[in-house]
Amino acid sequence: MGALIRAFDWSKTSLGPIAEWPAHLKVTVGLMLPARVQIVLFWGPEFVALYNDAYVPTIGNKHPKALGQPARENWAELWDDLEPLLRQVLLTGETVFAKDRPFYIERHGYPESVYFDISYSPVHDKNGKVDGVLCIVDETTQRITAERALAKTEERLSNALQAAGMIGTFDTDLRSGLVYSDARFATMFSVDPEKGERGIPLADYIEGIHPDDVKLVNEGIEQAIATGEKCILEYRVRSKEGTLRWLEVHGRCLYDESGKPRRMSGAAVDITDRKQAELAAARLAAIVESSDDAIISKDINGVITSWNVGAQRLFGYAADEVIGKPITILIPEDRQDEEPTILARLRNGERVKHFETVRRRKDGSLIDFSLTISPIRDSHGKIVGASKIARDITDRKAYERLQSTLLREMKHRLQNNLSTVLAIARQSFRGHEAESEDFRKFEGRLLALSSGHNLIARESWDSAELGDVVAQLLNVHGRQRFEINGSDLRLSPKSALALTLALHELATNAAKYGALSIPTGKVTITWGIEQGATPRLAFRWQERHGPAVSQPSRRGFGSQLIERVLAYELDGQVHITYHPEGVVCEIVAPLSAKWEEESKE
């Protein structure tokens, strides 16, 4: 650089020829050129640049054109950042110093963010005036980049260790007995992370281990030191709050040149979730093996993959006889079409619940089963097979067949009895039944009672749906005459019969005198549940658009049947109101053993 400076035509610059340079400029340049540190001198108000050989690589392709030129021309991209620093020195005479100062520069044909340690010092004339700024710099870009890369690497490593199951690392000095650990390892043992990094006695970590596992850990460490083999231990640690966690700890002993144990380093991973999963799997396996039901798994193609003791007992096959074979070996020929349908539903993620069918045992006999089949998914949620629970329902099916036979016989005998009663009534009213109002009422009530019995018989004499009780009226009087609105509600047999007779009386009266006696008349029937301390049924019969209604002079049998018998059977209140615009019957009864609300499946 000395040769370039001497050869440069300085007369064309604000500095003038070298011969005319002031002494303090010549001295400064003389000190700068041989220096092995990076130095650039900015002189005068224009900050004309002079620099040494050590500085040349710092400015890249700005050399040599930057020599002798105002700094603004060659440091244009960072001038807004550089100029205030130079002017601060020029105007105040104070040194500007900074470590790892960032700059934006274009020195190799592309933009860069670089870092420098800088010391910008004033150069005074003999009168103390500042004529230039001597900049001693040291580029630290490579170090900063390396440190940041290291920090990112450490961050990625930390994240990877955390994601891998809370992995913590440790390093034990076997001579001092101190354990140095990262924060994760210390936290696992309820040790202060800062103390863990500084090093604490091994005994402090032993305190965090479950008492029943301390012996296992001590013996494992001693064996690893004695043999040099890798030590892998699974044990429990207990937090200060008493919570237990499972750890899997890997460690290896390192020896010095003389063969004496020096360090034991390793890592620990929290395996609590895995241990809990293993325990759950073991419990499930015990349940499966002890179950009286057949529990079978199969792949998505219907090939058997597992077979419990219950399956062996019910089907007669040992596990090694069926595993690997298609599930269709258990299905009779006339039911082979069931399996493709089941597999299709499983592939769609559906669960098949309580599917009743027949399956074949090893000896060829057939048996009734109720099947519940659930899809099995892998860790990615993909359906890879199915779990099937088969319950022997042979006894239940036999009972149902017997019950069905008995119910049919009961229904038949009851209908015979009602028919007999009706025949006796007709015989008693012989010759008068055509004009006898009493007989027609009696006959209608008896037929309504018969319909009620038929309805209950459909439900195995157990209960009846309130909507079905109401629907019987539609079959007699026509759907178009009624507006029906109500939720699902089941009645006891006695309540269903009582309501059937009451609705028959209301409909009969409406057909003779009320809304159903003229074409324009309508009947609205609504019911629902009133919530409160005790939920109650609210049932309403309302006639509209019929003949004008007046209060009857006396209460007949029908009204008494409705208001007394129905109220008694429902344990509630029944009121009939004779509004001019139509009869209204309101029923309010508590939901109890006689009433059961049932949600739709």
Side-chain angles (χ1 to χ4, degrees):
M1 282 303 299
L4 284 176
I5 290 175
R6 287 190 294 272
F8 192 81
D9 185 2
W10 293 97
S11 64
K12 296 180 180 180
T13 71
S14 60
L15 273 63
I18 292 179
E20 298 177 4
W21 286 4
H24 58 296
L25 173 56
K26 291 180 180 180
V27 170
T28 302
V29 173
L31 293 173
M32 175 187 70
L33 289 176
R36 298 293 182 90
V37 295
Q38 304 166 45
I39 302 176
V40 57
L41 175 64
F42 294 107
W43 196 263
E46 294 183 325
F47 299 111
V48 176
L50 301 95
Y51 46 87
N52 64 358
D53 290 301
Y55 187 74
V56 170
T58 303
I59 58 174
N61 59 18
K62 295 181 183 295
H63 173 73
K65 63 182 179 180
L67 182 65
Q69 303 300 318
R72 177 188 292 274
E73 296 181 9
N74 291 284
W75 279 270
E77 73 277 12
L78 73 158
W79 187 242
D80 289 344
D81 191 15
L82 180 61
E83 182 186 22
L85 301 176
L86 298 178
R87 290 206 178 278
Q88 179 180 344
V89 178
L90 191 67
L91 297 175
T92 66
E94 297 177 355
T95 297
V96 173
F97 175 81
K99 297 281 291 182
D100 300 323
R101 176 67 160 74
F103 290 96
Y104 170 82
I105 191 171
E106 297 175 6
R107 56 183 177 177
H108 298 299
Y110 53 86
E112 295 179 71
S113 293
V114 295
Y115 299 85
F116 287 89
D117 290 342
I118 62 171
S119 177
Y120 293 0
S121 303
V123 179
H124 301 271
D125 65 9
K126 61 182 179 180
N127 298 318
K129 177 188 175 186
V130 179
D131 285 334
V133 180
L134 183 69
C135 303
I136 301 174
V137 301
D138 180 24
E139 184 170 1
T140 59
T141 303
Q142 187 173 1
R143 176 177 60 80
I144 294 295
T145 303
E147 288 177 353
R148 291 186 174 180
L150 178 60
K152 288 183 179 180
T153 300
E154 290 177 345
E155 181 182 5
R156 285 194 294 268
L157 177 59
S158 177
N159 292 338
L161 292 175
Q162 189 73 21
M166 193 180 175
I167 295 178
T169 59
F170 67 92
D171 185 19
T172 306
D173 187 332
L174 297 176
R175 291 169 295 189
S176 66
L178 295 179
V179 179
Y180 302 86
S181 73
D182 62 11
R184 285 181 295 274
F185 187 84
T187 302
M188 292 175 182
F189 290 81
S190 299
V191 169
D192 184 341
E194 292 185 1
K195 292 182 179 180
E197 290 182 1
R198 293 196 301 267
I200 61 173
L202 175 62
D204 289 3
Y205 284 93
I206 295 296
E207 286 182 3
I209 299 175
H210 191 284
D212 294 344
D213 296 341
V214 171
K215 181 179 179 182
L216 168 72
V217 174
N218 287 331
E219 290 177 350
I221 293 174
E222 291 173 1
Q223 183 177 358
I225 293 173
T227 64
E229 297 176 352
K230 187 175 182 180
C231 177
I232 303 177
L233 298 173
E234 292 183 2
Y235 55 85
R236 293 161 291 176
V237 292
R238 185 170 52 191
S239 69
K240 293 179 180 178
E241 294 77 23
T243 304
L244 288 178
R245 307 289 296 178
W246 275 93
L247 302 182
E248 181 179 307
V249 183
H250 293 229
R252 185 182 292 278
C253 184
L254 304 177
Y255 304 85
D256 61 18
E257 296 81 2
S258 62
K260 294 182 179 180
R262 180 169 57 90
R263 296 166 54 197
M264 177 173 281
S265 302
V269 60
D270 189 319
I271 59 169
T272 304
D273 292 344
R274 192 192 81 192
K275 281 291 186 180
Q276 291 175 343
E278 290 175 354
L279 179 60
R283 288 174 177 167
L284 179 60
I287 293 172
V288 169
E289 284 305 305
S290 62
S291 175
D292 290 333
D293 294 331
I295 302 178
I296 306 165
S297 62
K298 59 184 179 181
D299 65 20
I300 200 62
N301 296 315
V303 176
I304 298 171
T305 56
S306 72
W307 185 266
N308 76 333
V309 174
Q312 179 173 334
R313 181 180 60 81
L314 291 177
F315 288 100
Y317 290 99
D320 57 0
E321 293 181 283
V322 291
I323 290 178
K325 294 183 179 180
I327 196 75
T328 50
I329 65 173
L330 308 176
I331 303 177
E333 287 74 10
D334 60 343
R335 293 179 178 265
Q336 288 288 325
D337 59 334
E338 292 179 354
E339 185 63 12
T341 303
I342 291 173
L343 289 176
R345 293 179 62 182
L346 290 171
R347 291 188 181 103
N348 290 330
E350 295 183 42
R351 184 169 181 257
V352 180
K353 294 189 296 183
H354 309 305
F355 175 65
E356 296 188 0
T357 185
V358 175
R359 290 295 180 258
R360 182 173 52 206
R361 302 180 77 251
K362 182 179 180 180
D363 60 10
S365 60
L366 300 179
I367 189 169
D368 291 307
F369 277 104
S370 173
L371 305 180
T372 298
I373 311 167
S374 303
I376 298 174
R377 303 175 187 270
D378 63 14
S379 58
H380 302 291
K382 180 182 178 182
I383 297 173
V384 295
S387 172
K388 176 182 294 187
I389 300 176
R391 175 162 295 175
D392 183 353
I393 57 171
T394 303
D395 292 342
R396 197 197 81 194
K397 283 293 185 180
Y399 170 78
E400 288 177 353
R401 286 191 288 270
L402 176 61
Q403 183 185 47
S404 178
T405 300
L406 293 175
L407 289 175
R408 284 197 303 271
E409 181 63 21
M410 184 185 300
K411 177 182 177 182
H412 176 68
R413 292 192 179 191
L414 182 59
Q415 293 295 333
N416 285 344
N417 288 338
L418 291 175
S419 298
T420 300
V421 172
L422 185 59
I424 293 173
R426 284 174 176 163
Q427 186 69 25
S428 300
F429 285 92
R430 181 191 297 270
H432 304 284
E433 62 268 24
E435 59 275 359
S436 173
E437 179 68 20
D438 290 339
F439 173 76
R440 284 196 293 273
K441 288 181 180 179
F442 178 79
E443 182 182 38
R445 288 164 183 160
L446 197 62
L447 292 175
L449 184 63
S450 177
S451 297
H453 279 121
N454 287 336
L455 184 61
I456 299 170
R458 283 198 337 232
E459 300 289 340
S460 302
W461 297 90
D462 179 56
S463 62
E465 183 68 46
L466 177 52
D468 292 339
V469 173
V470 173
Q472 293 181 115
L473 295 177
L474 311 186
N475 298 329
V476 177
H477 299 282
R479 176 71 181 83
Q480 69 277 6
R481 307 297 301 274
F482 291 86
E483 295 178 0
I484 310 295
N485 185 20
S487 58
D488 290 344
L489 195 69
R490 301 203 72 82
L491 306 177
S492 68
K494 290 177 64 178
S495 298
L497 288 176
L499 187 61
T500 296
L501 291 174
L503 291 178
H504 167 75
E505 295 297 330
L506 288 169
T508 299
N509 185 72
K512 291 179 65 177
Y513 310 112
L516 300 181
S517 66
I518 61 175
T520 59
K522 295 282 187 180
V523 176
T524 299
I525 302 177
T526 60
W527 67 91
I529 305 301
E530 292 181 348
Q531 298 298 334
T534 301
R536 302 185 306 171
L537 167 78
F539 184 97
R540 182 181 179 89
W541 166 290
Q542 181 175 6
E543 299 179 24
R544 297 179 293 111
H545 309 310
V549 175
S550 60
Q551 184 76 23
S553 59
R554 67 180 183 85
R555 296 281 183 171
F557 176 79
S559 298
Q560 295 182 42
L561 176 67
I562 296 171
E563 292 185 318
R564 295 182 183 179
V565 176
L566 184 60
Y568 175 79
E569 291 297 342
L570 302 184
D571 194 23
Q573 297 177 340
V574 180
H575 297 288
I576 301 176
T577 307
Y578 296 90
H579 293 293
E581 59 270 19
V583 172
V584 175
C585 177
E586 294 179 296
I587 302 170
V588 178
L591 288 181
S592 61
K594 297 180 180 180
W595 299 82
E596 179 186 351
E597 191 175 11
E598 183 178 88
S599 61
K600 291 183 178 180
E601 293 292 335

